[in-house]
Amino acid sequence: MRAFVLTGPREFSVRAVPVPEAVPGEVVVDVERAGVCGTDVEFFTGEMAYLHQGHSAYPMRLGHEWAGTVSALGDGVDPAWLGRRVMGDTMLGDRTCRRCRKGHQHTCAHREEVGIRGGRAGALAERIAVPAWSLHALPDSVDPVLGALVEPGGNALRAAQAAGVGPGDRALVLGPGTIGLLTALFLRAAGAEVHLLGRDEPTLAFARTLGFTNAWTRDTLPARPFDAVVDASNAAELPALALDLVEPAGRVVYIGLAGQPSLLDSRSLVLKDVTAVGILSASPGLADTITAYASGAVDPRPLVAATVGLDEVGAVLAGEHPAGPGPKIHVDPRAQ
């Protein structure tokens, strides 16, 4: 089968690799869509922290946002999975440690991460092998595009839930990229008045096409009270800004990661009686995200600017952005 293989910083090829086998407890999935995200770009540039911490190494196969159809089963797997349309959890805990037993397998110190950590091959390939326990079935109303948006959506859903807002509340999202816009969609579905803060007008103009008329730059942001602020950016200075902008007794949610340490004044956190929450993973939010997509409560499909083949992935990771204005690029590994 064909796969995108990253062999070093900015070094890659699309090559024939062995078809994965369904070992006991695992399945093989024919990949229909896979998303490209900022984590993949960090591996492409060599900046990803896992490379320097020993959790990841080249060569590697990227791709942790995916959807497809189960085509083979390993021993011990429920036969009902065969032929099912699915997506899968990125975080694969060892299922035996204290964190896993407490239901926090996404924080397992020994975890693999699909397409990211521990040598577990990702979905930028025609097929992928994953544990059956990591699968989530997709209903007919969740097409491959939506299916590949479940993983980023799960992160965003958790961020929106952590914000703790609803009708009558006002929330501000810093960073109108994929996660920021998905978070805004979930916050709006919860009934909150949603504002977005971005760096430039073209990005904000796209947010407005999604119905977010309250889209601002730092210079135009109005002086309004925000009951919750979600930092979905990669800017090192914005975690502190989130704390500055949130109302006393409000909530700040940190889901974005900067390439360097971020500093904030914990005295402000205490004196404002603010609750701060960090979001690592989509794992606890995947099922509810599928439900939201299936019901139509949230429709993130406009975020996908283009769908490309494996041969175009390198250019995308290098910064080319084909077609529409949305922030997300999808890959169809079957496309030639």
Side-chain angles (χ1 to χ4, degrees), residues 206-230:
F206 176 72
R208 294 187 188 105
T209 68
L210 301 177
F212 296 109
T213 56
N214 295 310
W216 319 98
T217 64
R218 288 284 294 273
D219 293 335
T220 63
L221 181 68
R224 296 179 185 173
F226 295 105
D227 302 292
V229 180
V230 179

Side-chain angles (χ1 to χ4, degrees), residues 288-311:
D288 287 343
T289 300
I290 292 170
T291 298
Y293 290 176
S295 70
V298 172
D299 182 3
R301 279 174 288 201
L303 274 61
V304 179
T307 300
V308 302
L310 289 172
D311 293 318

Side-chain angles (χ1 to χ4, degrees), residues 30 56-57 63 82-83 85 92 106 112-113 125 128 157-158 169 182 193 213 228 254 258 267 298 305 316 322 331:
D30 294 347
S56 306
L82 190 63
R85 296 181 55 255
L92 307 179
H106 60 290
E112 294 180 339
E113 298 180 26
I128 186 175
L157 172 63
R158 292 190 64 214
D169 295 323
L182 283 166
E193 176 188 317
T213 56
Y254 295 112
R267 293 172 298 182
V298 172
V316 170
V331 179

Side-chain angles (χ1 to χ4, degrees), residues 72-91:
L73 308 177
D75 290 344
V77 176
D78 186 343
W81 281 117
L82 190 63
R84 296 288 298 274
R85 296 181 55 255
V86 297
M87 61 79 56
D89 198 338
T90 299
M91 307 299 224

Side-chain angles (χ1 to χ4, degrees), residues 172-176 196-201 204 208 214-224 226 229 231 233 235-245:
L172 174 66
V173 178
L174 311 181
L196 286 155
L197 180 70
R199 288 181 294 189
D200 55 66
E201 277 301 325
L204 295 171
R208 294 187 188 105
N214 295 310
W216 319 98
T217 64
R218 288 284 294 273
D219 293 335
T220 63
L221 181 68
R224 296 179 185 173
F226 295 105
V229 180
D231 176 22
S233 77
E237 71 275 12
L238 289 193
L241 180 65
L243 182 55
D244 289 343
L245 292 174

Side-chain angles (χ1 to χ4, degrees), residues 242-253:
L243 182 55
D244 289 343
L245 292 174
V246 74
E247 277 285 277
R251 299 174 73 88
V252 290
V253 182

Side-chain angles (χ1 to χ4, degrees), residues 3 27 41 44 47 51 95 132 154 164 202 221 230 253 263 274 288 309 329 333:
V27 304
V41 174
F44 180 79
E47 297 171 332
L51 290 168
R95 308 187 78 197
L221 181 68
V230 179
V253 182
L263 301 177
V274 166
D288 287 343
I329 303 296

